[in-house]
Amino acid sequence: MTRSIYIIDDDDAVRASLHSLLSVRSDLLIRGFRSGDRFLEEHDDLDPGVLMLDFHMPGATGLDVLEAIRDDGDKFVSIILTGQGNVALAVQAMKTGALDFLEKPYEAEQLLETVDTAFSRLEADSAEASRAETARAQIDALSPRERDVLRGLIEGRSNKIIAFELGISPRTVEVYRSNLMDKLNVRSLSEALRIAFAAGMFPPP
């Protein structure tokens, strides 16, 4: 599987050096941007990937880019690169969403290990997002009343209490419960609740 990595740095020599280092990995599709602004102009049309992001750039800084891509969810994982690194910048970058922070000059082995970690995070986030999307589709397929019953179940209420709160008979609750289990394609309540949590229907405990 080809993995996309984007080098965003205003220094041509740095971009060329990083491209050379990363080219040892045959599965990487590498693309460079001379500024944060250039990247942001195109990022909506780019494939998910890892950003190698310079902190200090004219125009949009690395921090500006991190702020701008927050709304992209799990599309990008960022590694900040800077020649003027300090703890304050590292903390700021991490708080804004960066996975890691590397100072120039960096060790090639450390850089490649960090890139591998970033892709592992990206792939895990992508899988989680896919599970959440599937779960939301399953929950959306339930009728409003079936979702009401599911809410009661996840809150630990008995069929009788759910029936009382909804103004229906316990037998009708059993029918709704059976229907929602069939629609979610699950055999146990715990499986149904896991889907509800994955869909964001309820906050996890």
Side-chain angles (χ1 to χ4, degrees), residues 164-177:
F164 174 77
E165 291 179 342
L166 297 180
I168 57 179
S169 71
R171 173 59 186 153
T172 303
V173 170
E174 289 176 11
V175 172
Y176 282 129
R177 177 171 176 164

Side-chain angles (χ1 to χ4, degrees), residues 8-204:
I8 308 167
D9 197 305
D10 62 310
D11 189 319
D12 294 344
V14 169
R15 289 200 316 280
S17 174
L18 282 170
H19 194 289
S20 178
L21 280 172
L22 294 169
S23 293
V24 301
R25 299 288 177 84
S26 59
D27 62 340
L28 293 182
L29 182 62
I30 308 164
R31 183 170 175 190
F33 293 87
R34 290 186 174 181
S35 70
D37 294 309
R38 290 286 293 275
F39 170 77
L40 292 176
E41 286 171 5
E42 298 187 40
H43 80 290
D44 286 338
D45 299 321
L46 298 175
D47 290 331
V50 170
L51 308 186
M52 305 295 293
L53 184 58
D54 188 27
F55 202 97
H56 299 282
M57 292 183 288
T61 66
L63 193 62
D64 293 332
V65 172
L66 288 173
E67 292 279 6
I69 64 175
R70 274 185 163 179
D71 291 340
D72 291 330
D74 302 320
K75 184 176 180 180
F76 300 110
V77 173
S78 303
I79 301 167
I80 288 288
L81 304 172
T82 181
Q84 303 173 37
N86 57 41
V87 174
L89 288 182
V91 171
Q92 192 176 14
M94 298 292 191
K95 284 182 176 179
T96 315
L99 171 70
D100 210 339
F101 183 95
L102 296 175
E103 292 184 66
K104 305 172 190 174
Y106 29 75
E107 296 289 335
E109 185 175 346
Q110 181 188 14
L111 177 67
L112 292 173
E113 286 177 0
T114 304
V115 167
D116 287 339
T117 299
F119 276 114
S120 294
R121 167 74 69 83
L122 184 68
E123 286 153 13
D125 288 348
S126 177
E128 184 175 344
S130 178
R131 285 193 295 271
E133 184 177 354
T134 299
R136 284 192 293 271
Q138 289 176 285
I139 295 297
D140 287 344
L142 301 180
S143 71
R145 189 58 96 190
E146 287 164 352
R147 285 195 289 273
D148 288 339
V149 170
L150 182 55
R151 288 189 186 93
L153 293 172
I154 200 170
E155 290 166 3
R157 293 180 171 85
S158 67
N159 286 358
K160 184 179 293 187
I161 296 298
I162 294 171
F164 174 77
E165 291 179 342
L166 297 180
I168 57 179
S169 71
R171 173 59 186 153
T172 303
V173 170
E174 289 176 11
V175 172
Y176 282 129
R177 177 171 176 164
S178 176
N179 288 345
L180 74 86
M181 299 279 277
D182 287 342
K183 287 183 179 180
L184 296 178
N185 194 29
V186 297
R187 295 182 178 182
S188 68
L189 179 58
S190 63
E191 290 178 281
L193 300 189
R194 278 198 293 272
I195 291 173
F197 282 130
M201 189 175 177
F202 307 96

